[in-house]
Amino acid sequence: MSTYKVTVEGVALPGPVEVKSKPWYLGWLFGHNEGVTIGGVVYLNDLGSQEILSHEFKHVWQQRNYPGGPTKWLLRYLSDGSFRRGQEFEAYCVQCQCLRFKYGPQSIQYAQMKAVTMSMTGYSAAQVKTALDALWAAFPSKPCVAYSVVGG
């Protein structure tokens, strides 16, 4: 387990964010995706992936800023497909931005993640491009999600 100090879009998240290996039962409950975020804890298959960490840290930010907090966010996320797609769209855009910084705007990794964003959320190529252009304009010199280990 590691504990992180996280900044999302220039705003520091209050309190630490814990990152742990994802136990088998979360895969059974939530599907076999890369990560699951519940409150201030991120459960990951691959603890070293910067892109997945960024995606999940965006979910921490969403949960902590949702009226009613993480529990109400999670209940709505699980029961409202439209809400879930919107939340995932934001997180996938953060993940795309991280890949663009890591590999470049012409990289296959960046292109593949844009395609995944469209297929997983149902948003169009134009909507993805608009959101990514806005993130790039707002954060041209560094990814919009930054973090550092504060314990472990």
Side-chain angles (χ1 to χ4, degrees):
M1 178 190 78
S2 294
T3 304
Y4 291 82
K5 179 179 178 181
V6 180
T7 301
V8 177
E9 298 172 11
V11 178
L13 291 179
V17 179
E18 293 181 47
V19 177
K20 300 179 179 182
S21 292
K22 189 168 78 170
W24 68 269
Y25 59 84
L26 288 179
W28 181 76
L29 287 170
F30 293 100
H32 297 286
N33 50 14
E34 294 292 324
V36 174
T37 298
I38 302 172
V41 182
V42 174
Y43 300 93
L44 295 177
N45 290 337
D46 176 6
L47 296 178
S49 171
Q50 295 175 343
E51 301 82 39
I52 302 298
L53 274 175
S54 293
H55 177 112
E56 295 302 327
F57 288 158
K58 180 65 177 184
H59 287 319
V60 172
W61 183 89
Q62 292 166 335
Q63 291 177 23
R64 288 186 179 175
N65 286 286
Y66 188 75
T71 302
K72 288 198 177 192
W73 181 94
L74 186 59
L75 290 172
R76 184 164 181 205
Y77 180 91
L78 293 172
S79 65
D80 182 340
S82 178
F83 177 77
R84 181 173 50 256
R85 282 187 299 279
Q87 298 295 285
E88 286 298 335
F89 179 68
E90 290 178 5
Y92 276 117
C93 285
V94 165
Q95 193 171 346
C96 282
Q97 191 211 28
C98 189
L99 286 167
R100 182 175 175 169
F101 274 102
K102 188 172 183 178
Y103 298 108
Q106 302 304 317
S107 69
I108 189 71
Q109 295 91 339
Y110 181 60
Q112 287 173 334
M113 195 68 239
K114 289 192 295 185
V116 166
T117 301
M118 289 182 289
S119 70
M120 295 296 287
T121 65
Y123 283 73
S124 70
Q127 289 170 311
V128 170
K129 181 182 182 325
T130 298
L132 292 175
D133 287 349
L135 268 180
W136 194 256
F139 300 92
S141 62
K142 61 183 178 181
C144 63
V145 173
Y147 51 87
S148 59
V149 177
V150 293

